[in-house]
Amino acid sequence: QSKMKVAYIFMSDHAREILENMILPQMEAGVHGADVVGMVFFFDNAYMLHKDSEIGKRLAALSEKNGMMLVGCDYCCQQRGIANDLVFPAGVGCFPTIYPALEGAKPDQVITL
């Protein structure tokens, strides 16, 4: 039986807490209950993808393992001066590039936190 495929959009002030303390540990332990096919980061949440971020390093490791897409909002990353300093394989993008990438991953749900 295949798992539901989800994509997360991190927008709120509390998104880091939810990702760091709930989602990441569950994914790392293999008990999240859904296949996460993508994560998109807006506003200050884009800092989580910075190459010096512990969360970014954990996300990169998961992405390399499962192929999950990691994207920082291009405008948000440029505004914060981090567009060229994201963990690999994270990239910067905007809705016109995010939509086709997620379409290929075929998420069942997109969840905004």
Side-chain angles (χ1 to χ4, degrees):
Q1 178 180 344
S2 64
K3 292 182 184 177
M4 176 188 295
K5 293 181 181 179
V6 299
Y8 288 108
I9 297 175
F10 296 100
M11 292 187 62
S12 78
D13 294 339
H14 298 285
R16 180 185 181 103
E17 184 178 358
I18 295 166
L19 179 60
E20 184 174 31
N21 297 315
M22 297 173 215
I23 297 170
L24 271 178
Q26 292 169 359
M27 289 179 68
E28 290 166 337
V31 297
H32 188 56
D35 289 331
V36 181
V37 297
M39 294 185 176
V40 184
F41 297 79
F42 287 90
F43 308 113
D44 285 346
N45 294 311
Y47 286 119
M48 289 191 271
L49 293 177
H50 191 271
K51 64 184 179 185
D52 294 331
S53 161
E54 187 60 36
I55 290 176
K57 293 173 186 172
R58 292 168 68 190
L59 287 167
L62 284 168
S63 178
E64 288 182 32
K65 181 179 176 183
N66 69 14
M68 168 180 66
M69 178 184 79
L70 298 172
V71 178
C73 161
D74 57 356
Y75 179 77
C76 303
C77 289
Q78 290 166 2
Q79 230 182 7
R80 287 153 181 81
I82 61 170
N84 297 317
D85 295 319
L86 304 184
V87 294
F88 179 82
V92 294
C94 194
F95 292 108
T97 56
I98 294 167
Y99 292 144
L102 283 177
E103 182 180 10
K106 300 189 183 329
D108 298 303
Q109 297 286 323
V110 176
I111 301 166
T112 302
L113 299 169

